[in-house]
């Protein structure tokens, strides 16, 4: 993309309403614009990152064997009356009446709707195991929306639901989700720690939240420092293998790690003192096993191998897709702006032309741009007339992990400059080598 | 995908509530399930087609230089009061009050919101031309929702908005949209004819609707039969070239083609009688030029080259993404089920194992499946124990354009059967050649 043809409305001033760094930078980098309280428009740059995060979630869910679909945003109140949650949910549920005076609601979650789909179509244990998920906008009418997309009212969430014949199978689905979540967050450049959690209004016994450590996190967390050394990495996993998935759960949840809601001081004190940590964390996902809590009242049963109808064992598993943008920025920025991890960056690298209009500089930029594009990479080329300082400031603010700087002086020596946003280190090298390096970083074969 | 691991709840019975063929087949093929009146859940098969259509729209919009973003589903009433449409819109607008008693609405369209974004961020003609678009769920509280996704209440739409300094530039944007729409529909296997239209509640002077001819269409249409011979094809187009885009507009709109809303009997009678056609059509898109209708009342101005502030010339351009599934099925089916065009098919081909459990048949199916997958294609492999007749009926119903049938008898002669869903013709050939043929059809290099 050439910047002169893009819509990137960066702000020089820090907007006064933004209290935390991710909200400030998302506004300043022209990623979002508030449409009304807690509701945002995703401007092109923000939308690109949102889509990248969504794509990682889709890939990892499907790798785990979970099946994508899509439920609507508006739901009928009737289903929620069946489960008993319509009255229980409180004022955070946005209740709507349509022109026929039917009670509707903007879904804050989808247990009822998915259970209804299941009970309408599945009647035999032979169709299990089954995990369906979707990525859809939700609404929660927060009394005081704040922190930008971190605590908005309209937010994008992945929620998945497993249906299993037995508790054991359902716990395997739980473990499968844990593994797929660890992989997803790592691909986004995040360390998200599974912590024993409170089940809240969805209900259930087994539940873990995934927390990203960050000073601005809303929860106080307590953990054994050994946990931050764990990496899922690129180890192979067979999602059908119960023992393998269970082993990952054990590895990642056997050490002490809890939020203030479930914190147990006595247990925590059994951790050797030098490994005890207290910090703040941002919740970016949660997995639940809740057994037959919805299948029983809603009659979601299957015929088992013995011919008896039994309610299915279920769980629900969520990732806060829009909130993740905030979490990633909270975890990865400096005082000049955002530092995107390579896995989610909106553009793979920036190209800064120090002297637009200079024939050699223009030609070199175009050639680098075309080479990167041919490799399937997407550069953002600042081809505007702005002065160099302003171009650097914008690139730093929007946080592309790599920048290639092209100027007449360097070109006379046959070199351009390749700069890492994270470390700030620069290196001079011929244009083709700069392209080659970017290609390597993103795992693309160079031409 | 192996069918035994997928969620494809096909129905044997024709649901009584469905009056038109696309609705019937979408329900029977397990593509959608009604959640409440005019609101649908997209089951996995339907969701895949929806995503394929979305992907084509994204690609063609971006090819035309239009920039993707995303606006929220819920909007504040205040902006609509500014444009004067809040009171004018009538009961099809779903009006909502939040817990703070603020008037909100579920957006039926986004002219106000995008104009607000524009006026907040753009102030100079140097930032023009600009076209922003999004694909987002909309809501229209139809009094009598019907025909499945063709006339639902919650529906997915692409809407794009151009901002230009002059009327001439805005008309170029209009033409650019016309070209990109022709390309998009053709890639979906549709012939959509641009017809002079009525501007309706959005307002404006120049507007064309795109109509797909189908017996069940809601509009009566009148046209010169020469128009159905026109194809955009794969001709090269430079979207920056005003004259090229204008020539496409002229080619595709110079012949008589109108809906009943704008039909002019006297003009129609000037078409030679043997070329006069009356038929029914389904609207799948509309383009508008409406000048300064929103920019003036909402103060969306830019400073022109002479330093004067002038309101921008705008247009809005929509594609009915979810409705397109219905339109495609109406245009492409037979009495056994759907016939997907290759451009949107949920799976590239079906693989039917005539004797699951037979060692040779199982191995051949797996090998075909793996070869197709390695080429980047997605087959649906019916690996269940159903009898052959039921497997064929399901494949015909869900409409995959190609089917490879594998059985022990054919394998003894070293062949499988490749069948075209559209023509019904079958051909026996060695498994590798069947794979090769599918690869060719979808433009994938074979291994």
């Amino acid at each position: 993309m050439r910047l002169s043809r893009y819509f990137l409305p960066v702000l020089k001033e820090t907007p006064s309403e933004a209290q935390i760094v991710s909200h400030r930078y998302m506004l300043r980098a022209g990623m979002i614009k508030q449409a009304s309280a807690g509701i945002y428009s995703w401007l092109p740059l923000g939308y690109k990152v949102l889509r990248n995060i969504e794509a990682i979630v889709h890939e990892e869910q499907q790798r785990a064997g979970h099946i994508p679909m899509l439920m609507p945003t508006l739901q009928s109140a009737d289903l929620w009356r069946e489960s008993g949650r319509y009255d229980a949910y409180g004022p955070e549920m946005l209740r709507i009446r349509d022109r026929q005076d039917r009670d509707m609601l903007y879904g804050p979650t989808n247990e009822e709707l998915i259970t209804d789909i299941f009970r309408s179509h599945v009647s035999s244990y032979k169709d299990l195991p089954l995990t369906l998920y979707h990525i859809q906008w939700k609404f929660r009418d927060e009394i005081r929306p704040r922190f930008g997309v971190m605590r908005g009212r309209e937010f994008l969430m992945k929620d998945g639901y497993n249906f299993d014949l037995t508790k054991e199978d359902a716990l395997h689905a739980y473990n499968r989700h844990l593994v797929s979540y660890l992989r997803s967050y790592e691909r986004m450049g995040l360390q998200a720690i599974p912590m024993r959690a409170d089940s809240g209004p969805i209900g259930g016994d087994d539940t873990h939240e995934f927390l990203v450590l960050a000073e601005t996190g809303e929860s106080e967390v307590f953990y054994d420092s050994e946990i931050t050394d764990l990496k899922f990495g690129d180890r192979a996993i067979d999602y059908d293998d119960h023992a393998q998935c269970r082993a990952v759960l054990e590895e990642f949840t056997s050490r002490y790690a809890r939020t203030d809601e479930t914190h147990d001081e006595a247990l925590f004190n059994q951790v050797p003192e030098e490994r005890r940590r207290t910090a703040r964390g941002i919740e970016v996902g949660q997995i639940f096993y809740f057994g037959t809590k919805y299948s029983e009242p809603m009659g979601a049963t299957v015929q088992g191998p013995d011919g008896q109808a039994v309610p299915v064992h279920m769980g629900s598993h969520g990732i806060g897709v829009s909130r993740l943008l905030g979490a990633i920025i909270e975890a990865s920025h400096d005082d000049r702006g955002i530092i995107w991890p390579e896995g989610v960056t909106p553009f793979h690298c920036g190209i800064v032309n120090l002297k637009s209009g200079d024939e050699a500089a223009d030609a070199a930029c175009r050639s680098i741009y075309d080479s990167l594009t041919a490799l399937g990479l997407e550069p953002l080329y600042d081809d505007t007339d702005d002065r160099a300082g302003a171009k650097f400031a914008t690139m730093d603010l929007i946080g592309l992990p790599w920048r290639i700087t092209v100027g007449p002086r360097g070109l006379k020596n046959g070199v351009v400059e390749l700069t890492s946003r994270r470390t700030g280190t620069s290196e001079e090298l011929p244009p083709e080598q700069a392209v080659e390096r970017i290609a390597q970083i993103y795992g693309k074969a160079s031409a």
Side-chain angles (χ1 to χ4, degrees), chain A residues 260-298:
Chain A
D260 41 12
E261 285 174 341
T262 53
H263 180 53
D264 179 328
E265 198 65 30
L267 263 182
F268 189 49
N269 284 334
Q270 292 172 21
V271 178
E273 194 173 356
E274 70 282 11
R275 288 179 6 213
R276 268 180 244 155
R277 296 285 185 282
T278 307
R280 301 202 70 82
I282 300 168
E283 192 220 318
V284 292
Q286 187 158 8
I287 53 178
F288 285 103
Y289 162 72
F290 48 68
T292 59
K293 179 178 156 72
Y294 294 91
S295 57
E296 270 194 77
M298 295 185 65

Side-chain angles (χ1 to χ4, degrees), chain A residues 177-302:
Chain A
H177 278 90
L178 180 125
V179 177
S180 71
Y181 281 26
L182 290 173
R183 284 184 63 108
S184 303
Y185 296 125
E186 280 193 20
R187 283 185 60 186
M188 298 172 199
L190 283 178
Q191 179 167 50
I193 303 170
M195 301 197 179
R196 178 175 293 276
D198 196 41
S199 61
I202 293 185
D205 308 321
D206 285 83
T207 174
H208 282 92
E209 282 181 351
F210 291 78
L211 284 109
V212 173
L213 301 179
E215 279 165 33
T216 48
E218 72 274 60
S219 317
E220 192 169 14
V221 299
F222 305 84
Y223 62 95
D224 177 340
S225 68
E226 279 191 353
I227 209 162
T228 55
D229 298 331
L230 299 175
K231 289 262 175 297
F232 187 81
D234 53 4
R235 61 179 100 170
I237 185 101
D238 176 354
Y239 279 109
D240 290 334
D241 186 324
H242 288 222
Q244 265 191 42
C245 292
R246 170 96 210 153
V248 176
L249 172 93
E250 277 161 12
E251 178 184 348
F252 280 82
T253 63
S254 59
R255 291 171 188 79
Y256 191 91
R258 296 196 177 185
T259 65
D260 41 12
E261 285 174 341
T262 53
H263 180 53
D264 179 328
E265 198 65 30
L267 263 182
F268 189 49
N269 284 334
Q270 292 172 21
V271 178
E273 194 173 356
E274 70 282 11
R275 288 179 6 213
R276 268 180 244 155
R277 296 285 185 282
T278 307
R280 301 202 70 82
I282 300 168
E283 192 220 318
V284 292
Q286 187 158 8
I287 53 178
F288 285 103
Y289 162 72
F290 48 68
T292 59
K293 179 178 156 72
Y294 294 91
S295 57
E296 270 194 77
M298 295 185 65
T301 59
V302 293

Side-chain angles (χ1 to χ4, degrees), chain A residues 28 336-337 387-399 403:
Chain A
R28 283 195 53 210
R336 286 173 298 141
R387 57 188 179 75
K391 290 185 176 184
F392 291 145
T394 295
M395 286 291 177
D396 284 349
L397 174 62
I398 69 171
R403 187 184 79 210

Side-chain angles (χ1 to χ4, degrees), chain A residues 125 302-310:
Chain A
Y125 77 97
V302 293
Q303 211 173 42
D306 58 359
Q308 298 290 324
V310 287

